[in-house]
Amino acid sequence: QVQVEESGGGLVQAGGSLRLSCTASGFPFGKAMAWFRQAPGWEREAVACIDWHGYTTYYPNSVKGRFTVSRDNAKNTMYLKMNSLKPEDTATYYCAADLAILTMFVCQASQDRTAWGQGTQVTVSS
């Protein structure tokens, strides 16, 4: 069973940058991975998704051009580089492995098999 763990959150001023990391264990071979976020009072949303080879990625319009997802399969690690951060990016960011759907237009977790991390807090001050 795949397990994932995030790191790299913190407090940053608006306009700043952060990089999150997610390390997977338990045979994540072939699995698409993603970053989701959830702010208080809001539903969890996908903000960056990537397939095993890195050929297919998904970003919602709210982060497109500012966030970049990448992965190093040799290290079983996925990254999220966040630039030009805004206060509305403040949320708990979760790593997820083994998605239900990933295309350029859709990224959805599976209720049955997606593995989730504990989350890492990102706070952007204005």
Side-chain angles (χ1 to χ4, degrees):
Q1 185 174 359
V2 178
Q3 294 180 317
V4 294
E5 183 174 3
E6 310 92 342
S7 62
L11 174 64
V12 63
Q13 288 189 334
S17 298
L18 276 177
R19 191 180 80 156
L20 306 183
S21 299
C22 171
T23 301
S25 60
F27 199 67
F29 181 82
K31 303 290 193 292
M33 297 182 69
W35 291 98
F36 287 72
R37 69 184 180 189
Q38 187 169 22
W42 293 81
E43 291 189 354
R44 190 175 296 190
E45 62 169 343
V47 295
C49 309
I50 186 168
D51 70 354
W52 172 255
H53 296 288
Y55 297 157
T56 301
T57 57
Y58 163 87
Y59 303 97
N61 288 335
S62 58
V63 308
K64 200 170 291 184
R66 300 188 298 120
F67 289 12
T68 303
V69 63
S70 61
R71 65 190 296 169
D72 183 342
N73 291 331
K75 297 181 179 179
N76 288 337
T77 301
M78 176 180 63
Y79 305 97
L80 182 65
K81 182 64 186 300
M82 303 183 291
N83 296 325
S84 302
L85 282 162
K86 304 175 181 180
E88 51 262 44
D89 294 317
T90 295
T92 301
Y93 284 70
Y94 296 91
C95 174
D98 200 359
L99 307 175
I101 304 171
L102 172 57
T103 71
M104 289 178 57
F105 308 104
V106 178
C107 177
Q108 292 183 1
S110 167
Q111 288 189 338
D112 298 329
R113 65 176 190 271
T114 295
W116 295 94
Q118 294 296 312
T120 186
Q121 180 66 34
V122 172
T123 302
V124 184
S125 63
S126 56

